[in-house]
């Protein structure tokens, strides 16, 4: 059974940095592309980027360089570093597994999420 367990969320102040983690199990982690997404209250799910099986990240322009993704294929972990957080970064953050090792494969599994709240 695929399990994706996010952690590291919480209450942070604007301008601070935060690193989220995702522990993956139940599948061969090093054979699948992984992504991070988020959903703010009342908004649609937003894709934040993905990491190839080799560890190369790809981000949409909307992240503006403030997010850094990485993975550890030995520990079966996925990471998301949020830099200089803003109130609009308040959202539930999700780790997602793609269908294959192809960067073009769709996302097919999602964890339960970890809440990030940015407020002074």
């Amino acid at each position: 059974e695929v399990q994706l367990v996010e952690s590291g969320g919480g209450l942070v102040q604007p301008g601070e940095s935060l690193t989220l983690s995702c522990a993956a199990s139940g599948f061969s982690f090093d054979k699948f592309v992984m992504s991070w997404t988020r959903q703010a209250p009342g908004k649609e799910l937003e894709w934040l980027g993905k990491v190839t099986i080799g560890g190369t990240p790809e981000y949409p322009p909307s992240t503006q360089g403030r997010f850094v993704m990485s993975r550890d294929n030995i520990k079966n972990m996925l990471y998301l570093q949020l830099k200089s957080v803003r109130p609009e970064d308040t959202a539930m953050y999700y780790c997602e597994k793609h269908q294959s090792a192809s960067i073009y494969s769709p996302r097919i599994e999602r964890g339960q999420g970890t809440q990030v709240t940015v407020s002074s």
Side-chain angles (χ1 to χ4, degrees), residues 36-88:
W36 283 98
T37 59
R38 70 182 179 184
Q39 188 162 28
K43 295 190 176 182
E44 294 185 352
L45 190 69
E46 178 185 9
W47 176 66
L48 301 178
K50 59 187 167 187
V51 186
T52 69
I53 58 173
T56 301
E58 178 182 321
Y59 310 104
S62 59
T63 65
Q64 300 177 351
R66 293 191 302 117
F67 299 160
V68 179
M69 295 181 188
S70 62
R71 65 191 293 165
D72 185 330
N73 286 343
I74 302 298
K75 297 181 179 179
N76 290 351
M77 296 291 293
L78 182 72
Y79 303 101
L80 172 64
Q81 182 184 20
L82 290 71
K83 301 178 178 179
S84 300
V85 297
R86 306 164 180 170
E88 53 264 39

Side-chain angles (χ1 to χ4, degrees), residues 23-35:
S25 62
F27 64 102
S28 297
F29 181 74
D30 61 347
K31 292 181 170 57
F32 293 88
V33 175
M34 299 294 294
S35 276

Side-chain angles (χ1 to χ4, degrees), residues 1-2 8 22 25 47 59 75 84 87 96 105 118:
E1 178 187 3
V2 171
C22 171
S25 62
W47 176 66
Y59 310 104
K75 297 181 179 179
S84 300
E96 298 200 13
S105 63
V118 182

